Amino acid sequence: MTEANGTSVSIQDLSLNFGAVSVLQTLNLDVAEGEFIVLLGPSGCGKSTLLNCIAGLLDISEGRIFIKGKNVTWEEPKDRGIGMVFQSYALYPQMTVEKNLSFGLRVAGVARDEIAKRIARAAEILQIEPLLQRKPAALSGGQRQRVAIGRALVRDVDVFLFDEPLSNLDAKLRAELRVEIKLLHRKLQNTMIYVTHDQIEAMTLADRIAVMRGGIIQQLDAPQTIYNRPVNRFVAGFLGSPAMNFLDGQVEAGPVFKTDGVSVPLDRYVFDGTERPTGACVLGIRPEHIAFGDAAKSMPFSASGSVEIVEPMGSDTLVWTKLGGRNLSFRVEAERTLRPGDPVQIGFDPVRASLFDAATGNRL
Amino acid sequence: MSDQAVTLPASAGAVANRLEASGPRGPKPRHVFSRRNIFLYGTLFVVAVYYLLPLYVMVVTSLKGMPEIRLGNIFSPPLEITFEPWVKAWSTACTGLNCDGLSRGFWNSVRITVPSVLLSIAIASVNGYALANWRFKGADTFFVILIVGAFIPYQIMIYPIVIILREVGLYGSLAGLVIVHSIFGMPILTLLFRNYFSSMPEELFRAARVDGAGFWGIFLRIMAPMSLPIFVVAIILQVTGIWNDFLFGVVYTRPDTYPMTVQLNNIVNSVQGVKEYNVNMAATILTGLVPLIVYFISGKLFVRGIAAGAVKG
Amino acid sequence: MSKSERPNPLFRNLNAKIASIPMILTASVIFVGGTVWTVFYSFTNSKLLPRLNFVGLDQYYRLWATPRWLISIENLLIYGAISLVFSLVIGFLLAALLDQKIRFEDTFRTIFLYPFALSFIVTGLVWQWLLNPDFGIQHVVRDLGWTSFTFDPLYNSSIVIYGISIAALWQGTGLIMCLMLAGLRGIDEDIWKAARVDGIPMWKTYLFIVIPMMRPVFITTLVIIASGIVKVYDLVVAQTSGGPGIASEVPAKYVYDYMFFAQNLGQGFAASTMMLLSVVIVIVPWAYLEFGGKKRV
């Protein structure tokens, strides 16, 4: 990555309380220059609140915020060197696109030709030149969001903040604009902090993802690491669609995982620490990591069962069976025709699985 | 599945054919003169007549001569239309020693209403904006006091205001009354604007802050231009409210600066001289004309105004 | 670090605070200060000018021993009960009628609401004319042959307050109708569909489902009507000037007359304090529930 260039945004011990309610708790986050960070989490996890704190739109209770090495904790939003894109676009309805883009520059008293130059550049990058004289009401959702991005672009800032920018768009447009944002990042090489609850956006866009819950960053890592080695059960369950399968059971010496007549040998599993824990735990395995049919037989763990439900999803098919009395889903190619009741052989390699402490939910 | 679909109509076919000949088909018939409609429109019509009758009687009476009024009945249309009473009411009717008609009161009311409406809306819109978007410590306390104040009988604050106005030398002047109207218009208007600004997307305000606009910049360049409808509602509310005021007019002005309502009451309820009912009714219509015109022109906005002013959003 | 000291909290949002000065002054000086001042001076024997000569509760004893005040209170109670009951019932019924997806709804609504645009002075004078026994409704009915017909509420001291109430209802019911109509329109359409599918008669749906759902609207309307009742003044002045005799006096008029005509400020202050007291009992719990109790998000 570009860590060599230094830190762009640094958040130190940030806390935010609304009265007695603690929204963010001693939160630390360092964002490298040019990095694309995604804050991911369910609604109410504090991700948008954190973004608003970075923008200076919310006063924080404790801690400090640095942007480009400058302590901006008490600075006004306009003085922080940030641009922001909002979920509802937040375009000024009575102004044309051009006036929307230039409003901030006009407030700041930027010279006219400079304004024109910056607007021309932003309009070219975002391909909104034909829209400049229109009012926001005459634009489609995708066009509006482009203008909203343009408003951040003309500010010529180092840090872009995105607050769920694609949530108001339909699925097709969302996918299109996602690609465009990624291209934009590659072209501009700005630092971007992006808030979303959509894991696909997070996986596709991020250099690193910060998964949040209850005002705390649960895990901050590259998308693949978060996907393959989630630090706790919450992160494991939040990422991935269809969701990870969870089996309640015990780890026993061996080590081996046991639940209702099923025992999974864990010698190939990579434990987090050096000690070998025992006791109640949860085994998680993603549907795509479960092998099926002949391939299953060669796996370190394999079992047989029967098909309960078949959910065709177009590109592939999700099949539900039972393992140790619990529902378990796995993916097969769309061409496979399985019917409820058919016998199946399944299996997986424990190196692909995740083990969590049943009480704390932490990865073992 | 497919073989079922074929057999179903075959077995049910015979029954269906028999039903088809006699059963209801197509749109359900509706009777324009159903009992429900007669009751509904009949009731509404009667009530409407009741509501319109006073207006009708006012107009009819004001167009009759006094002899016709003494002989005839108040509901009958004028046999001979005369505009004499209107002219008299406007230009020569007497209040006390002044005999220059309601025109004086009309112009006083105009001079009171215009600045009061502008001042009260200017203050209240900024208040509402500050309350909705720039909450500062203690602001809500003052707001609650303001709202409670709207329901407190004015009588309890009348005299202290007399003293304050006397101290600053505005007691009895139009300027003093303008201030009083701005003060007592503040609660409902502030509530109106606060609710309106609160309903605007918060992100718009945030975007403007990121763009570097300050308190006045956001208000004048973003919020106010987006809020024209609510300003119109406020204007309607204030024009009718201030024009119709009687209590403040009678307390805070002198006879030569009396607003129209006070002067009208003095004309009609004066005990001297012969009662000229036609002139009285003409004067009454003239006084009610401004709010009525506002009402009929504004239509739905008026309804929205009173609903917004009354029920919190 | 570019800044080491936290900005003074007093100057945060400075512009918002400056802009709120008129509101702060109005709330504190006029609404709180004025009220406290009047209550305070109601314990003095101020006559023509306010004087700090305390006489305890004397003004209140005198007030409650004055027939004119007692009549005012009685009138206010009758007027209040009539306004409350009839404007709620008529207002709701009219709103329910208008809510039946009828044609000309706008026309009817415009007709029912226009009196509300008129001042109480205009309303009072029109009804004074309509109820004039020599020319008005009584005269017309007698001309039709009913020579013994009597309808002269404004000239009969035992029923004059009812005559005033008729005018008040004519002026104010349209507003209540509008509020109720807004409330009815706020009810989820699906409620009606569900009731229809369940076969519940319309009047039962209104009585047992819709009206309970409109509780907040009713409460707000109630507060509006109630605060209007206490303030009633112009209507009486225009229609009867308190007559015949003192038969149609109301508290607000009592206050005004004692402050500005009888030159007995102490009595006026005491009477207005009593008015305040009656309103406080109604308003404070409501305001607390509406604005204080729950925090806005």
Side-chain angles (χ1 to χ4, degrees), chain C residues 9-27:
Chain C
L10 196 66
F11 296 116
R12 286 190 49 72
N13 285 352
L14 187 63
N15 276 320
K17 286 173 185 169
I18 292 173
S20 303
I21 286 176
M23 175 181 82
I24 294 170
L25 281 181
T26 298

Side-chain angles (χ1 to χ4, degrees), chain B residues 204-264:
Chain B
L204 212 57
F205 172 74
R206 294 186 169 176
R209 279 193 70 191
V210 172
D211 269 342
F215 182 88
W216 295 108
I218 296 177
F219 178 69
L220 295 174
R221 296 168 80 166
I222 308 287
M223 295 302 199
M226 281 175 64
S227 317
L228 288 181
I230 206 69
F231 276 95
V232 175
V233 165
I235 289 172
I236 293 167
L237 205 66
Q238 285 299 84
V239 169
T240 50
I242 293 170
W243 190 273
N244 286 341
D245 162 71
F246 177 79
L247 179 65
F248 297 141
V250 83
V251 171
Y252 297 106
T253 52
R254 299 193 194 91
D256 59 326
T257 49
Y258 274 160
M260 204 170 183
T261 47
V262 179
Q263 210 194 351
L264 169 72

Side-chain angles (χ1 to χ4, degrees), chain A residues 59-60 64 66 70-71 74-75, chain C residues 1-7 12:
Chain A
D59 286 336
I60 62 174
R64 297 189 294 183
F66 293 85
K70 185 176 154 216
N71 186 342
W74 294 328
E75 297 282 356
Chain C
M1 301 311 107
S2 52
K3 287 188 189 174
S4 51
E5 266 177 73
R6 196 162 191 129
R12 286 190 49 72

Side-chain angles (χ1 to χ4, degrees), chain A residues 52 56-57 76-78 82-84 86-95 103-104 106-107 151 155 163, chain B residues 134 200-214 217-218 220-227:
Chain A
N52 280 317
L57 293 166
E76 277 293 298
K78 65 182 161 78
I82 50 138
M84 192 159 176
F86 298 90
Q87 177 178 354
S88 64
Y89 325 125
L91 299 179
Y92 312 124
Q94 76 277 16
M95 299 184 192
F103 181 67
R106 282 181 285 139
V107 169
R151 193 165 54 183
R155 288 177 60 75
D163 193 358
Chain B
W134 297 83
M200 289 219 253
E202 171 98 26
E203 291 193 341
L204 212 57
F205 172 74
R206 294 186 169 176
R209 279 193 70 191
V210 172
D211 269 342
I218 296 177
L220 295 174
R221 296 168 80 166
I222 308 287
M223 295 302 199
M226 281 175 64
S227 317

Side-chain angles (χ1 to χ4, degrees), chain C residues 184-220:
Chain C
L184 284 173
R185 293 279 150 85
I187 301 253
D188 189 353
E189 277 284 310
D190 289 351
I191 295 283
W192 283 106
K193 292 180 189 162
R196 213 173 140 192
V197 171
D198 286 347
I200 301 168
M202 185 180 282
W203 66 272
K204 274 195 175 173
T205 313
Y206 271 117
L207 208 55
F208 297 117
I209 301 171
V210 172
I211 290 179
M213 282 177 80
M214 281 171 62
R215 212 185 73 111
V217 178
F218 273 97
I219 291 176
T220 314

Side-chain angles (χ1 to χ4, degrees), chain A residues 4-33:
Chain A
N5 297 349
T7 320
S8 173
V9 176
S10 174
I11 292 153
Q12 300 177 358
D13 298 325
L14 185 147
S15 294
L16 177 70
N17 309 313
F18 290 142
V21 186
S22 168
V23 185
L24 298 172
Q25 297 167 33
T26 39
L27 194 143
N28 285 285
L29 177 67
D30 281 321
V31 183
E33 190 101 353

Side-chain angles (χ1 to χ4, degrees), chain A residues 39-104:
Chain A
L39 305 177
L40 176 70
S43 56
C45 71
K47 55 191 191 301
S48 280
T49 311
L50 175 58
L51 198 73
N52 280 317
C53 288
I54 298 172
L57 293 166
L58 280 175
D59 286 336
I60 62 174
S61 310
E62 290 295 331
R64 297 189 294 183
I65 299 170
F66 293 85
I67 294 178
K68 280 241 157 187
K70 185 176 154 216
N71 186 342
V72 296
T73 312
W74 294 328
E75 297 282 356
E76 277 293 298
K78 65 182 161 78
D79 303 322
R80 293 191 176 207
I82 50 138
M84 192 159 176
V85 179
F86 298 90
Q87 177 178 354
S88 64
Y89 325 125
L91 299 179
Y92 312 124
Q94 76 277 16
M95 299 184 192
T96 61
V97 167
E98 186 177 2
K99 296 272 183 247
N100 259 287
L101 294 177
S102 63
F103 181 67

Side-chain angles (χ1 to χ4, degrees), chain C residues 218-277:
Chain C
F218 273 97
I219 291 176
T220 314
T221 311
L222 219 64
V223 170
I224 291 165
I225 300 174
S227 72
I229 290 169
V230 179
K231 285 176 184 167
V232 64
Y233 170 71
D234 344 10
L235 188 61
V236 176
V237 169
Q239 227 177 333
T240 65
S241 310
I246 54 168
S248 59
E249 289 291 339
V250 284
K253 189 161 177 296
Y254 186 94
V255 171
Y256 177 81
D257 288 352
Y258 272 85
M259 277 187 193
F260 296 99
F261 284 124
Q263 296 176 344
N264 192 342
L265 286 174
Q267 268 296 290
F269 295 155
S272 61
T273 305
M274 293 313 303
M275 288 176 69
L276 171 72
L277 208 62

